Amino acid sequence: MGAKEPDVKGSRHARHIIVAGAHPLERLGFRAVLRAAFQCERFDDASHFSELPTLLGRDTHLALLDEKLPGLASLEELRQLRLVHATVKFVFMSTTCTPDEVFTGLLAGANGFISKTLSEAEMIEALRLVSMGHIYVPTCLFNGKALPGDKATAQDWDRIAQLSRRQRQVLQLVCEGGTNRDIARKLEISEATVKVHIGAAFRVIGVTSRIQAAEVFRHHRLALDGEMSSLTSVASQDSVPQN
């Protein structure tokens, strides 16, 4: 952690926060950061992903997960938790925060990825942003340059990070070649709603056609094979984006 004393003025209230990771000392460190960021009534620790369904509840505000949490075999499991606990903010703590890792997590429903290399003050700021409803990704993805091995610019990353979960789901199916009717059937929404989501998403990422949208997604390697099987049960969880 950095030596700079964090500014804890205006720490936000949270009724329940979960810290999930394999190592007790690391969980203790995460708790210290969370206590500086929030006035929390109750903390719970988890050392295995299987403990989370029991710990998560209506009053859970945030769940901080280590990227290597035992029992988390795939991000499909996070997606399933997200379906049941739609109001919880899920945040990953990661050592690497690679582009694929970050945006695969976002598609699965994570609200943020925070690098373990950040200072304490930076972690507090990131956690508070997530708490306020923002999506947080590492600043290295916004340095104005294309990342090694990736064709997309930081501006592209920024635009995709602004997409809602439903918009990402719809665009994923667009990239797989789905028609409006296919997408409506898959997500159990009307074709009119699909058109609204597509139009809003196109405006966010700055494209005007399905081909351009697919190209942006391919540049970010977001075509995740086999990860759309559980989307049909989330139809009522996202509001229609506004113009």
Side-chain angles (χ1 to χ4, degrees), residues 58-235:
R58 291 184 178 180
D59 62 344
T60 305
H61 178 66
L62 186 144
L64 191 65
L65 315 179
D66 187 271
E67 61 171 335
K68 299 187 184 300
L69 178 65
L72 182 57
S74 74
L75 287 172
E76 179 61 30
E77 294 171 296
L78 174 63
R79 196 194 303 278
Q80 294 295 335
L81 276 187
R82 164 63 68 200
L83 299 180
V84 180
H85 303 281
T87 63
V88 177
K89 306 295 191 298
F90 290 93
V91 180
F92 279 101
M93 297 295 293
S94 176
T95 302
T96 55
C97 289
T98 65
D100 278 347
E101 178 184 44
V102 170
F103 284 95
T104 299
L106 293 180
L107 282 173
N111 298 91
F113 269 77
I114 298 178
S115 172
K116 295 179 182 179
T117 63
L118 294 181
S119 69
E120 183 175 6
E122 289 171 327
M123 286 186 182
I124 289 171
E125 181 182 3
L127 289 165
R128 287 177 174 172
L129 284 171
V130 170
S131 175
M132 294 166 61
H134 299 287
I135 292 175
Y136 181 87
V137 297
T139 55
C140 65
L141 302 184
F142 298 89
N143 60 7
K145 300 177 182 179
L147 295 171
D150 189 60
K151 299 178 183 179
T153 66
Q155 288 75 25
D156 291 332
W157 293 90
D158 194 10
R159 288 195 294 268
I160 286 186
Q162 293 175 39
L163 293 170
S164 71
R165 185 171 72 244
R166 176 62 89 208
Q167 289 167 356
R168 293 195 297 270
Q169 291 167 352
V170 170
L171 283 183
Q172 180 66 40
L173 292 170
V174 167
C175 292
E176 293 176 357
T179 65
N180 288 354
R181 179 175 296 180
D182 295 333
I183 296 169
R185 186 182 303 112
K186 186 79 171 180
L187 299 179
E188 296 184 347
I189 57 179
S190 70
E191 288 188 53
T193 301
V194 171
K195 291 178 181 179
V196 171
H197 284 305
I198 290 176
F202 280 12
R203 287 192 294 273
V204 170
I205 64 175
V207 301
T208 59
S209 71
R210 290 172 179 249
I211 294 176
Q212 291 174 342
E215 186 70 11
V216 170
F217 260 52
R218 289 190 185 102
H219 281 177
H220 290 81
R221 298 187 294 279
L222 294 179
L224 306 177
D225 294 337
E227 293 208 12
M228 297 298 291
S229 59
S230 66
L231 296 183
T232 56
S233 58
V234 297

Side-chain angles (χ1 to χ4, degrees), residues 11-71:
S11 294
R12 291 168 176 80
H13 180 265
R15 294 186 63 186
H16 181 221
I17 293 177
I18 298 172
V19 182
H23 305 292
L25 286 178
E26 197 166 62
R27 294 200 303 270
L28 189 64
F30 292 157
R31 273 200 188 207
V33 174
L34 288 162
R35 283 196 177 97
F38 304 100
Q39 296 174 354
C40 184
E41 296 179 15
R42 179 167 60 95
F43 281 99
D44 274 315
D45 278 8
S47 59
H48 195 279
F49 184 80
S50 62
E51 300 172 55
L52 292 180
T54 301
L55 294 175
L56 288 163
R58 291 184 178 180
D59 62 344
T60 305
H61 178 66
L62 186 144
L64 191 65
L65 315 179
D66 187 271
E67 61 171 335
K68 299 187 184 300
L69 178 65

